[in-house]
Amino acid sequence: MTHRSIRSLILTALVALAALAAIPWSAAAQQASPAACPPLSPEAIEARVQEFADAVDAEDLDRLSALLAPDHQHHWSGESLDRDTYLDRMGALFDAYDDYSFTTEQIITGDGEVALRFTASGTLVRPFNGIGGNDTSATWTGILIFTLDDCGQVTEIWAAVDHLGRLRQHGAITLPEATPAT
């Protein structure tokens, strides 16, 4: 009888230890889930989007990466880019432009989405998206529309950017001269 009691006691202790060991994992999983994050205030959302703009202006891919959700989608010039492809494209942009600048002009928040109006500029010194580095400067504008999750990570961005104006300034596109009607 004592032999069974010791076995039962050992088995009970092992089960209790396994249950105790599982508690930190369970709490950590709850903290990591989006449900654990309280909804962000409009001010916090605006601050998060400004963090994004500051990371772009600083050409800081690590900071930018930390702001993007793992399943991030970026809709850029008719393409839908996943997170890694977007970060690669931004790295190529940063490498191609000297004195790159990204300036926030306005941030508007509402109904779970945020719009950022910006001005960017730089001197193209290396090839980017099929345009050779020709040491020409350009300034262009755009609007980014962000969707953030409850924890403040950017899940999606829709971009509308004046690429035509940028390409014209770099001499990659020329328009025919207008002729007066006779």
Side-chain angles (χ1 to χ4, degrees), residues 17-100:
L17 283 173
L20 286 173
I23 288 173
W25 291 103
S26 175
Q30 287 177 352
Q31 289 172 352
S33 71
C37 299
L40 297 173
S41 68
E43 295 80 15
I45 292 170
E46 184 174 333
R48 183 63 104 171
V49 169
Q50 187 59 55
E51 273 184 70
F52 174 92
D54 292 344
V56 172
D57 185 52
E59 302 179 36
D60 189 336
L61 290 174
D62 291 333
R63 278 176 49 200
L64 199 53
S65 177
L67 294 167
L68 303 177
D71 60 347
H72 173 80
Q73 287 293 303
H74 190 94
H75 308 282
W76 178 348
S77 300
E79 295 180 85
S80 184
L81 308 177
D82 65 20
R83 180 180 184 273
D84 292 336
T85 304
Y86 171 70
L87 290 169
D88 288 345
R89 185 76 53 92
M90 291 302 291
L93 178 115
F94 297 155
D95 288 343
Y97 281 90
D98 265 359
D99 63 351
Y100 179 76

Side-chain angles (χ1 to χ4, degrees), residues 9 75 101 115 164:
L9 184 60
H75 308 282
S101 173
L164 178 60

Side-chain angles (χ1 to χ4, degrees), residues 11 28 38 43 65-66 74 93 109 113 134 146 153 157 161 179:
L11 183 59
E43 295 80 15
S65 177
H74 190 94
L93 178 115
T109 60
E113 291 183 338
N134 58 10
F146 294 76
Q153 284 202 301
I157 298 175
V161 179
T179 55

